[in-house]
Amino acid sequence: MMFDALFGYNYTRRKLLKKTNSTVMQEFLSNPFPDKKDLITNMDIVSIDFETTGLDIAKDKVISIGTVNIGHLAVNLISSSHQLIKTKKQLPESSVVIHQITDTQITDAMSIENALPILLKKLSGKVMLAHNAKIELGFINKMCQELYGSDFIIPVIDTQYLAKRSFERQNKVFKSNELRLFNLRKSYNMPAYKAHNALMDAIATAELFLAMVSKIASNKNACLRDFLP
Amino acid sequence: MEIELIEIRDFIALYPPFNILDENALNTLPKKLTIRYFRKGSIFPDLTLDNKNLYIIRTGAVELRNQQEQLVDKLSEGDIFLSKDASDKTSNEIKGVCVEDTLVYLLGFEDLFLLQNEFNDFDRQFNFSVNERLRHAVELSHSADMRDLSAMKLEVSELTDRQPVIVDAVTTIQDAAKLMTNEYVSSILVTNNGKLVGLLTDKDIRTRCVAKGLGYDEPVSSIMSTGLETVLDKTLLSEALLLMTRNKIHHLPVMKDDEAIGILTTSDVVRHLSANPTLIATDIYKANSVDALKKISARLPELQLQLSLSSSTAKHIGEVFSSITDAITCRLIELAEDLYGKAPVEYVWTAGGSQARNEQTSHSDQDNALIISDELQPEDEKYFENLSSFVCDGLDACGYIYCPGEAMASNPLWRQPLKVWVKKFTHWIQSPEPKALMLSSIFFDLRPVYGTFSLFTELQNNVLTQTKNNEFFISHMVGNALTHQPPLGFFKNFVMVQDEKHKNTLDVKHRGVVPIVDIARVIALDNGIKATNTVERLDYALKCNALSVEMHDNLIDALEYIGSLRIRHQAKQIRAGLDADNYLPPEELSGLEKNHLKDSFSIIKTMQHFFESRYPSARIR
């Protein structure tokens, strides 16, 4: 990730592409990502959210993946998808309660070996959007290392980071609670979605991002760069 | 469908026109949507981006204005907006601005067309013009046929409104009593192998079980009544009543195809008969005192409730109530004549306002006037004062409260010989001052009720000759008629009114009914039309080409639609034991009803613009 900051994600992408023998990774890395100077209005962005058995990337597992595409600053629900992931680990009760996923549902699920290539295909050449993206990034990176022996790279827009930056730029004191998806949405006059699953959260994040873009005065000229760390 | 999109589906399913879609169409709909966000203050819709989309407001608010910058609508959660095809040059220039941060769901025209093809009712929402949508709504609300309310022609099945409670003959008395308690019934049917064998009432349990000390474990067959008289569902109420009286029975099982579908009880019959207009009228003519009339008029709210439940039209209900007020008035005059003797000279009692127009409901003020023959002598005046006070006091006792503006025969101003009336009207017509115009809604709607009708006819002919084609007077009347403006529509649960704060309730009378009534009156005076009823006035207006067919039909539909909502609102209040009023809270309305009301308002608006442009001087006032 250090190279990323120094030379840019497309540089890292090309480097990883040269190194990897995995066809899945080769396919993912062969499409160039948008340039930092590209306009956000025309950009293809994939909003993603994972539900996991916990927050420890080393031990925990992904149990569902929700994605939805943004194009021309509109969320296209036709692209929405929700994939449950098979896990051998018993689901802890807390995650059952939060995500309303039970072991029975998990049996309809796909193995991560089958699901990850599908996800990578969706993300190839795109910008990834997530709320508190380090969770999703961390899990994808770990899975890519385990399954394909390669690191993962993608330009990432993180709505939580954007909110934090906005508070800091305004010298506003804020509580960590205010950075939660639910509370941020409320401040943008957005409906509170009751359901908590990976897809609804991916959609909620996508909507929040549209709101954040609209708040930038010159949003018609906003570039990807303006949303990256 | 992705189960995760249920939340979006459930939102859309709440609002018209999507609420008429079937399960399958609703389930596939979310996937066809795109989501956009509009910052507060941004132009809506974003014309640089699309269009050809249907917009569904998810959260936020959008104000729509016409070219004159007048507010024409305000959209909020669940409202829809159809973007105009950019190639459509005929479209009106409506500009939208988001007044709150707004999240919208968009449905492309192609998907919209598919839904229109598949669902007729859905199609109607978009393809039909405002008036056609409204007409359809009026038809739907009256799809139950207008029933003949003559009690004797009613079939018994129409009075039995619940399924009978049925037990088997071996059921114990105690179990049967428990069931009757839980079901809130005083009688149940008893069957043996599915065949009706008996009937058990509260009274049977009291007299044949408890009083006799019979065990509660005995079967109901030991105390039930057997050898039952029954009637068929198609039996006329009159026959059933005869059967009950002849056999001194209070319960009659109602059968259909060998199966019991209900129990007709004497209280059902009484309840129905007491709220029957014909019987009420008969009772009025038999009443011998103001007190007796007062008791009868106490039944009127129940009558309004029954009529509105039987899906009578607002027009019909108005006619029924006005004729009852006529009957009570006539009876009071007869009682006054019993007291004070015959009148010294000829006179006519006339009703004004809604009674004259045959548009009353159970809750109305009294408006009336007395036209006396010009042979009136000063010494006769006391007689008419006594008569008028007696009748007006009597009407007030019967719930027709005194007119707040004193437009009553008990007021000497409105108890005058014909020649004075002619002078009054001439003055009003030649110098239409604000006060005269205010009275116009009462005295330009007059109808004779009792006495020498020719006195009224003479006055009416004189008045109409003066008003007919009287440009000066008519333009004043138009100006007056335009003072009551319909609302723009609804925003959330508020009524939107041009240039005013939103209101919590809709005054259906002044914002909906009155504007149409006022315009119909102007047309009547302008064209010398004698009718007082608004629908009849509009019908005549059509005949003498004062209105186009389209405007005529639209106004009648709007009047009936608004009237029916008013009647329903009042029925609800009556059922809750409240006094009926004209203030409709928007939360009482469904989304579709709000849309139909909005259509009605826009019809009224169109009509007002039409008259405004025809009488330009009216606008100044």
Side-chain angles (χ1 to χ4, degrees), chain B residues 77 121 128 212 264 303 354 357 415 445 513 545:
Chain B
E77 193 169 306
D121 285 339
F128 281 22
K212 294 249 168 78
L264 182 72
L303 173 66
S354 61
R357 294 192 306 269
R415 188 175 70 232
D445 300 341
V513 177
N545 295 321

Side-chain angles (χ1 to χ4, degrees), chain B residues 190-456:
Chain B
V190 184
T191 56
N192 192 0
N193 293 327
K195 204 172 164 291
L196 182 67
V197 293
L199 180 124
L200 183 74
T201 67
D202 278 353
K203 196 180 160 195
D204 294 333
I205 296 174
R206 186 174 77 231
T207 57
R208 295 175 189 166
C209 170
V210 182
K212 294 249 168 78
L214 195 69
Y216 300 161
D217 294 342
E218 295 292 323
V220 289
S221 56
S222 60
I223 60 165
M224 68 186 184
S225 305
T226 54
L228 300 180
E229 293 284 353
T230 61
V231 286
L232 295 174
D233 58 332
K234 298 273 177 216
T235 307
L236 293 182
L237 182 60
S238 52
E239 284 174 47
L241 198 57
L242 203 63
L243 196 66
M244 289 166 108
T245 329
R246 193 185 295 143
N247 297 301
K248 294 199 176 87
I249 50 176
H250 302 290
H251 300 83
L252 268 180
V254 179
M255 310 295 287
K256 186 184 181 183
D257 304 329
D258 281 336
E259 216 177 298
I261 58 158
I263 304 176
L264 182 72
T265 67
T266 35
S267 54
D268 291 334
V269 180
V270 169
R271 201 180 60 221
H272 182 81
L273 293 187
S274 69
N276 180 285
T278 355
L279 286 162
I280 286 179
T282 317
D283 286 349
I284 289 169
Y285 285 107
K286 281 191 275 183
N288 269 322
S289 66
V290 175
D291 263 354
L293 286 171
K294 206 172 136 181
K295 279 202 191 93
I296 295 164
S297 49
R299 280 152 52 190
L300 295 182
E302 174 67 19
L303 173 66
Q304 185 176 343
L305 184 61
Q306 296 293 333
L307 286 173
S308 93
L309 291 179
S310 71
S311 64
S312 296
T313 62
K315 179 171 189 277
H316 175 68
I317 292 176
E319 285 162 355
V320 167
F321 277 93
S322 304
S323 72
I324 288 173
T325 315
D326 286 3
I328 292 177
T329 309
C330 290
R331 189 65 198 133
L332 283 166
I333 296 172
E334 286 166 1
L335 291 174
E337 285 179 342
D338 290 347
L339 202 62
Y340 304 112
K342 284 278 167 209
V345 293
E346 290 188 330
Y347 72 96
V348 63
W349 184 282
T350 57
S354 61
Q355 186 189 350
R357 294 192 306 269
N358 288 317
E359 290 161 11
Q360 270 191 314
T361 56
S362 68
H363 184 79
S364 292
D365 300 349
Q366 55 170 301
D367 299 308
N368 43 56
L370 213 56
I371 307 167
I372 310 170
S373 154
D374 289 339
E375 287 158 31
L376 178 76
Q377 300 302 309
E379 61 267 28
D380 300 334
E381 282 174 14
K382 188 71 193 160
Y383 174 88
F384 289 109
E385 187 188 330
N386 288 335
L387 175 96
S388 303
S389 300
F390 183 91
V391 177
C392 291
D393 292 350
L395 284 171
D396 183 71
C398 289
Y400 303 95
I401 55 166
Y402 296 120
C403 169
E406 296 271 316
M408 297 179 292
S410 55
N411 180 346
L413 273 177
W414 316 127
R415 188 175 70 232
Q416 293 289 340
L418 177 61
K419 60 183 178 206
V420 178
W421 275 111
V422 171
K423 237 183 260 169
K424 275 185 198 292
F425 272 102
T426 306
H427 180 70
W428 290 335
I429 294 163
Q430 288 177 355
S431 41
E433 296 150 6
K435 196 192 168 200
L437 292 168
M438 205 185 69
L439 290 169
S440 71
S441 68
I442 299 168
F443 291 119
F444 282 106
D445 300 341
L446 276 187
R447 186 169 56 79
V449 173
Y450 185 97
T452 311
F453 281 24
S454 58
L455 287 168
F456 168 79

Side-chain angles (χ1 to χ4, degrees), chain A:
Chain A
M1 295 280 167
M2 196 179 63
F3 296 112
D4 192 18
L6 276 173
F7 301 103
Y9 42 76
N10 269 323
Y11 171 82
T12 312
R13 177 185 61 80
R14 283 192 300 269
K15 226 179 69 186
L16 290 173
L17 180 60
K18 270 184 212 156
K19 266 187 6 194
T20 186
N21 296 322
S22 148
T23 50
V24 175
M25 282 315 280
Q26 280 167 355
E27 254 177 60
F28 170 71
L29 295 167
S30 58
N31 288 316
F33 297 121
D35 193 87
K36 282 181 181 179
K37 280 174 255 157
D38 286 351
L39 289 180
I40 207 82
T41 45
N42 315 329
M43 201 157 288
D44 287 326
I45 301 167
V46 183
S47 177
I48 80 166
D49 185 74
F50 286 178
E51 304 298 353
T52 59
T53 55
L55 296 178
D56 185 341
I57 287 164
K59 275 191 284 176
D60 284 309
K61 302 279 177 205
V62 175
I63 51 181
S64 67
I65 298 174
T67 63
V68 68
N69 292 1
I70 301 173
H72 295 283
L73 293 184
V75 183
N76 298 308
L77 291 182
I78 190 144
S79 66
S80 67
S81 98
H82 189 243
Q83 181 56 58
L84 295 173
I85 308 298
K86 260 185 205 152
T87 168
K88 284 172 204 98
K89 206 172 150 183
Q90 194 80 31
L91 292 184
E93 197 171 340
S94 62
S95 67
V96 174
V97 173
I98 296 170
H99 311 311
Q100 296 167 350
I101 298 169
T102 59
D103 285 330
T104 348
Q105 278 177 299
I106 294 292
T107 55
D108 305 327
M110 196 183 260
S111 69
I112 192 66
E113 287 80 359
N114 289 330
L116 192 59
I118 297 173
L119 177 65
L120 290 178
K121 204 167 189 168
K122 279 183 191 157
L123 293 172
S124 177
K126 308 272 173 59
V127 174
M128 185 178 111
L129 172 74
H131 194 72
N132 193 11
K134 67 172 190 281
I135 301 290
E136 280 75 16
L137 269 181
F139 275 105
I140 301 178
N141 198 47
K142 182 192 74 166
M143 294 185 295
C144 285
Q145 286 169 347
E146 283 175 6
L147 295 172
Y148 315 123
S150 169
D151 278 342
F152 175 69
I153 179 70
I154 195 164
V156 176
I157 300 175
D158 183 341
T159 42
Q160 190 180 64
Y161 162 77
L162 292 176
K164 197 168 154 233
R165 189 178 70 180
S166 162
F167 282 130
E168 285 167 353
R169 282 183 182 172
Q170 297 169 56
N171 286 324
K172 252 197 205 163
V173 184
F174 60 93
K175 296 187 200 109
S176 62
N177 201 23
E178 287 177 66
L179 295 178
R180 291 182 53 199
L181 184 57
F182 177 85
N183 290 327
L184 284 170
R185 284 174 59 85
K186 212 158 68 177
S187 69
Y188 283 97
N189 195 26
M190 287 186 162
Y193 290 132
K194 287 182 290 289
H196 261 295
N197 60 60
L199 177 55
M200 226 43 228
D201 280 352
I203 293 172
T205 304
E207 290 175 352
L208 177 64
F209 176 64
L210 295 186
M212 287 174 157
V213 174
S214 82
K215 295 289 167 174
I216 295 175
S218 56
N219 64 60
K220 290 275 185 292
N221 304 318
C223 303
L224 175 56
R225 178 172 54 202
D226 300 328
F227 299 92
L228 296 178

